[in-house]
Amino acid sequence: MKKNLNFCLLAGFIAAFSLTSCSDDKMEETVVPEQASSAKIDQPGDLEKICYYVDNNWNSTAVLKTSLQNSTDTNFMNAQMTKIASLWGRSNPTLRFVDDPSNYNSTYNAISYSTGKIYYGYAIYYDAKSKGGDIVNAMILAHEYGHQLQYIFGLPSVSENTARPNELEADGFAGYYLRRPNGYNKTNFTEIASAYEFAQSIGDYQTNSPGHHGTPAQRRSAVRLGFLLGQYDLNAANFDYNFFYYYQGVLNGTYKMAKNTVNPEIDAYMSQYIDELKKIQTGEISAEEFKNLK
């Protein structure tokens, strides 16, 4: 839906030069994550009628942009988006950045939408970069794209009464991308583990909360499993099958020991790591020891 151009230009100027505040792409609809959607279609509120309004998952003062603070950062993220989507044989989702000059910390988030969009906050981008370098943002973006794969292919194949399977599989997708030669191409796990400490620190212990993402130890074991599966060229459905075949330790306390007859080559490889995955998930392998895994 197109809006009046003069009004949009004015609103965009007021909104700290928001680069995409009035684009047709932005104004088609107010988008919310899949888990927050409902059957009822509400009429837009006053804020939603304003060009620079992002959506109800961000502060009302936040603005949507096509770029970060400089072209180097913007080009890096756009290139990573292309590479991540290409790895899975897909075209790029819409990647946009969210800034809020009046409340910078409110943009400490990244959201993947079922409408084929990823919105990435300024605050989380620059904190991640300062603490772990570019690889951390590549990992977070690969995690968010993992949710795109879930929307597209109806994944994960396992469900709980919390978001944990969705979030842990997305962690696995990130670990997989970081290892693949046509991905971030990091075959040394120590580099990935150090970067991952940033993301797993956002893990939580609210195991009965609908938004539960998994504990830090569970998130470590998820990214480790994704990295191990990066030894093989998998499509999204086969990744999902293998991820949950081996990752039962998160769901019911035991890793499967039966032979994976669907993928015997993967099974022979993974059998070397089952005990290690158990120890990561239970915390027997500490955060420091995790960083030194090969």
Side-chain angles (χ1 to χ4, degrees):
M1 172 168 38
K2 293 182 179 179
K3 296 292 183 181
N4 179 274
L5 180 60
N6 291 333
F7 171 76
C8 290
L9 289 175
L10 177 61
F13 180 81
I14 294 172
F17 305 100
S18 174
L19 299 182
T20 62
S21 59
C22 302
S23 70
D24 290 340
D25 172 73
K26 172 66 193 73
M27 294 306 297
E28 285 176 0
E29 59 184 313
T30 299
V31 291
V32 297
E34 181 78 1
Q35 61 268 27
S37 64
S38 64
K40 181 181 178 182
I41 301 176
D42 294 323
Q43 294 302 310
D46 290 340
L47 276 172
E48 292 165 318
K49 297 175 184 177
I50 299 174
C51 295
Y52 59 81
Y53 178 69
V54 182
D55 62 49
N56 61 7
N57 297 284
W58 306 84
N59 272 11
S60 61
T61 51
V63 291
L64 198 66
K65 298 185 176 182
T66 58
S67 64
L68 290 160
Q69 292 176 1
N70 60 68
S71 60
T72 300
D73 292 330
T74 305
N75 292 340
F76 170 77
M77 289 294 279
N78 285 332
Q80 285 299 303
M81 190 75 275
T82 298
K83 186 174 281 190
I84 293 166
S86 177
L87 177 76
W88 299 103
R90 309 292 303 182
S91 57
N92 286 18
T94 298
L95 175 64
R96 295 290 182 263
F97 306 100
V98 182
D99 187 19
D100 189 348
S102 65
N103 188 0
Y104 182 75
N105 288 336
S106 74
T107 64
Y108 204 91
N109 199 5
I111 299 178
S112 187
Y113 296 84
S114 62
T115 49
K117 300 177 182 181
I118 295 175
Y119 290 174
Y120 208 105
Y122 267 39
I124 197 170
Y125 178 86
Y126 285 105
D127 190 44
K129 183 175 181 177
S130 69
K131 290 178 177 176
D134 286 337
I135 189 174
V136 182
N137 280 304
M139 175 196 63
I140 296 172
L141 189 59
H143 171 106
E144 294 306 324
Y145 188 76
H147 291 310
Q148 290 294 307
L149 294 173
Q150 291 170 343
Y151 295 139
I152 293 165
F153 296 109
L155 305 174
S157 58
V158 170
S159 63
E160 284 189 309
N161 58 359
T162 75
R164 183 170 62 168
N166 304 65
E167 297 302 330
L168 293 176
E169 183 176 52
D171 286 343
F173 280 130
Y176 180 85
Y177 169 74
L178 291 179
R179 182 176 187 177
R180 291 298 297 160
N182 55 336
Y184 209 75
N185 195 25
K186 292 293 185 183
T187 56
N188 184 341
F189 185 72
T190 56
E191 294 179 80
I192 294 173
S194 295
Y196 195 71
E197 285 304 288
F198 176 88
Q200 69 80 28
S201 67
I202 307 173
D204 65 87
Y205 294 93
Q206 298 174 346
T207 56
N208 294 319
S209 169
H212 177 51
H213 279 40
T215 67
Q218 289 168 351
R219 298 194 71 176
R220 286 189 202 103
S221 54
V223 79
R224 175 64 170 173
L225 176 53
F227 172 83
L228 294 172
L229 291 174
Q231 176 82 0
Y232 300 93
D233 184 12
L234 304 173
N235 61 33
N238 205 11
F239 178 91
D240 175 88
Y241 172 84
N242 283 284
F243 182 85
F244 286 107
Y245 188 93
Y246 297 108
Y247 208 6
Q248 295 303 307
V250 170
L251 303 176
N252 61 22
T254 59
Y255 282 78
K256 279 192 176 180
M257 300 303 292
K259 291 294 182 183
N260 179 352
T261 57
V262 175
N263 301 111
E265 181 184 355
I266 295 177
D267 197 70
Y269 175 72
M270 286 300 303
S271 65
Q272 308 169 62
Y273 296 99
I274 295 299
D275 188 57
E276 173 195 273
L277 288 168
K278 286 182 182 178
K279 290 179 179 178
I280 297 171
Q281 190 270 333
T282 61
E284 194 173 339
I285 290 178
S286 69
E288 286 305 311
E289 291 170 324
F290 177 75
K291 293 178 184 179
N292 294 316
L293 294 175
K294 302 301 182 186

